[in-house]
Each structure stands twice: as structure tokens, then as C-alpha cells.
Amino acid sequence: MDDIPSRFPVSLPALRAAARKADFTRSSEERTGSLLAVLATACPAGRILELGTGVGEGTAWLLSGMDSASRLVTIERDEVVQKVAREQFVSDPRVTFVAGDAGAWLQDYDGEPFDLVFADTWPGKFAHLERALALVAVGGTYVIDDLDPRPDWPEDHAGAVERLLAELEGREDFRSVRMAASGLLLAVRSARP
């Protein structure tokens, strides 16, 4: 069985070119993106949150799976990097871009929960985890990636990943599964108390 995607967002080549030009190397890999598209498709009229826009590759995958009634909020601290995504999706009314610290946004947000939360940056994953999980609706999905060891990880990062995985897998209010693609973990909020 081959898990390489067969369908890609039409904006992906332009976003990849922009990422190379900006020397941005942290975009979602294809298998992660394909999964995001499927999960977005499973949320008709869904509310989706992306923590870490980057140049917008994950955004592209999410938008490619979303229906016209779904809405995406995507947050990025680096306005220069996020500008690539803003320009690419300027005419898509389904997406709202927020330039700022995702941790501060998580702390200040007081709206409805989300059907899908993709934490692709430090806040919402290694920091502000409780707040990010509190924003996942019952039956909603929390997705994180980049959990496989990399040569450029800081010395203490492997321990942080182990602690995060243990925390998520030990929770009674979420059911989680690890996936080999890009070191993914999916956790779905349970309706059970």
C-alpha cells in the first residue's frame, strides 16, 4: 500500500516555491496535508483552527477539504511568512488570518469551540496545551505533527515530545492514535465524562 497522496491543492506549487524563496522549511509534509484535507472534509460547516500558518501549505490542504460553509482561523507570529498565505488566499472568504502570538490568542479567545484544531507550532502543543484542548468541540479532532526525531531538534526537545505524548495518551477526555506520517498524533474529544 502506498500512502503518498494522489490529490493536491492547486495552490501548493506556488506556496512551495514561495517557501523555498523565503528559506522556510517547516511546512506540512504531503501525508499530513492529505490527512488534514480528509479531516476538514469530515467537518461540514465546520469550525477549524490552525496554529502556525507558515507560508500556508497546511492552510491550502485544509481549505481543499472544506466545504463552502466551513470557516478556518489560522494564526502565525511571523507576518512576513504569513503574507505568502494571505496573498494566495486573499479571495477565499472561508479563511481568517491572524498575525500574532498563538499562545496569547489561545488565552484571549472566548468564542465557540472548533471541530478541528491543527497545532503546527509550539503554542497549542508544547505550551498552552490545556487551552488548545479546551477549544476542541465534543467529537472534534486535535492534530499535531512533527513528533518524529529530527537532527535539528534542540537537546531537550525529545523529552518534551515524550511528555506531551504521555499527557495526551493518558487523558480520559480524548481518544488518541499515533501515526507514522510525520510523527502525527490525532486525538478526538470524547462525549464521555
Side-chain angles (χ1 to χ4, degrees), residues 5 15 22 24 30 37-39 43 49 60 67 72 81-82 87 89 107 115 125 144 146 165 167 169 175 189:
L15 292 169
F24 184 81
E30 292 177 351
V38 168
L39 292 172
C43 300
L49 174 63
D67 64 15
L72 168 65
V81 171
Q82 190 188 56
E87 290 173 352
F89 302 114
Q107 289 304 119
D115 302 300
K125 192 183 322 187
I144 53 178
D146 301 326
L165 292 173
E167 163 72 19
E169 291 173 346
R175 180 74 182 252
R189 180 177 287 282

Side-chain angles (χ1 to χ4, degrees), residues 15 18 55 79-92 97:
L15 292 169
V55 297
E79 291 183 54
V80 173
V81 171
Q82 190 188 56
K83 183 179 179 204
V84 174
R86 285 178 181 268
E87 290 173 352
Q88 181 69 42
F89 302 114
V90 68
S91 63
D92 194 326
F97 291 96

Side-chain angles (χ1 to χ4, degrees), residues 8 16 21 29 32 34 36 50-51 58 65 73-74 79 107-108 115 121 127 146-147 154 161 182 185 187 190:
F8 298 87
R16 287 181 174 165
K21 185 176 178 181
E29 67 113 31
T32 300
S34 184
L36 291 174
E50 178 183 35
L51 302 169
V73 175
T74 183
E79 291 183 54
Q107 289 304 119
D108 293 342
D115 302 300
T121 190
D146 301 326
L147 299 174
V161 169
S182 187
L185 179 133
S190 172

